[in-house]
Amino acid sequence: MKHRRLGRSGLYVSEIAYGNWITHGGQIDSDAALSCVRAALDCGVTSFDTADGYAFGAGEEILGRALAGERRSSVEIFTKVYWPVGPGPNDRGLSRKHIMETIEVSLRRLGTDYVDLYQAHRFDHGTPLEETMTAFADVVRSGKALYIGVSEWRAEEIRAAQALARELRVPLVSNQSRYSALHRVIEAEVMPACRELGLSQLAFSPLAQGVLTGKYVPGRPPPPASRATDTKGFGGHFMEKVLHDEILGRVQRLLPLAEAAGISLPVLALSWVLHEPNVASAVIGASRPEQITANTAACDVVLDDDLRAAMDAVLAPVALTDPALTTSPHHTP
C-alpha cells in the first residue's frame, strides 16, 4: 500500500481508504463488516472513513469495534458531522452546539480519544461560517481532532473556510468529493481551488456506486445482492441515477481496454482516480473481503496517459462535468 500526504499537512493517508457508507449497519451484517475491515488492514489500508449519520450511528460503532485492538497511531480515522442524528432542530447542521456535542458521541462510538480528520459533511447555509470554523478550531485545540476537512463544498465555500482556518490557525486539509471517471464535476472549479489552497481530495464513489466494475449490463436485471437491489438502505436509491443503458453500454466498452492492460475494470477505474495528483485517497466500500483484496491492486498500477485518454473518450458522452452539480447551494439538513 502506498501513502500520500493529505493537503499540505504532514499527515499521510493510504491511497486506498476504506469507507463504510451504506454497507456497515445497512447492506451487510456486522460479522461481514468486521471481515471487510480486517481484509483492508491485511492489505495495508490505514485510512478509514465514516460519519455520524451512517446508519444512524451504526457506521461509527461498527468501525470502532473493528479497529479495537489496533495500535491507534497505525491508523487514520475520519468521521463527519452535518446530517440529522436525531429529531430535534439542533440534532443536525454545523452549529457550535451540534459540533461540540456530536464529536463526543462520535468518539464514544469509535472507541477513541480523537479522530485524525473531522469533516463537515456538507455546507450549512443556516449557520454562520465563522461559528462553524470557530467550533472546529476548538475541537482541534481540545485534542479531539487533529485535522479538519469538508465534503462536497463548492469552490467559493472552500475559499472562505480556508481564509478563516488560517486566521484561526487550524489545519483545513481536505475536501471529500464524489469523483470518478463518470463524475468529474469538481475538475472545473473545486479542484483548482483546492490545489491553490493546499487541500487534497478524498475521492468517494470512485467506482460510481459499482457501475464502473462492469457488473451492470444494459438490458439485464442487476446481479442478486448487488447495491442496486438494496432495499434496506440508500443503495438502490442512489443507483437509480446511474443505471441507464447509455451509461452501462459505455462502461462495457471499457472492458477491452482493461483486458489489454492486463487488469480488471475496477482496478482500471481506481487507477484513473489515483492518476490525479490532487487526490490523496480513493475511498472504497465493500460487501465482501475479496473485493478489497482485488481493488487495492490499483495502487500498483501506473496509468498510461494514452489509456486514460482512451477511457475519457469512451465515457465523454455520459460523464458529468457541470460544476453546478457539486452540491445544491441552498441545501439544508
Side-chain angles (χ1 to χ4, degrees), residues 275-286:
H275 184 80
E276 167 54 53
N278 191 234
V279 171
S281 189
V283 183
I284 65 169

Side-chain angles (χ1 to χ4, degrees), residues 50-133:
T50 187
D52 62 358
Y54 291 173
F56 305 103
E60 288 182 329
E61 183 180 348
I62 294 172
L63 181 61
R65 293 210 313 268
L67 294 177
E70 293 297 315
R71 186 167 61 93
R72 180 62 185 86
S73 59
S74 69
V75 295
E76 305 85 46
I77 300 175
F78 314 154
T79 194
K80 313 181 198 71
V81 56
Y82 172 83
W83 293 109
V85 294
N90 291 312
D91 292 329
R92 64 198 68 203
L94 298 177
S95 69
R96 179 177 182 84
K97 175 177 173 62
H98 186 51
I99 288 172
M100 302 307 287
E101 292 174 349
T102 198
I103 184 63
E104 300 290 348
V105 178
S106 290
L107 294 178
R108 285 199 300 271
R109 289 189 187 124
L110 288 163
T112 183
D113 295 329
Y114 69 94
V115 292
D116 297 272
L117 181 67
Y118 199 38
Q119 304 163 95
H121 212 155
R122 293 293 186 273
F123 187 84
D124 184 357
H125 294 271
T127 300
L129 183 58
E130 293 83 355
E131 177 181 339
T132 295
M133 295 304 295

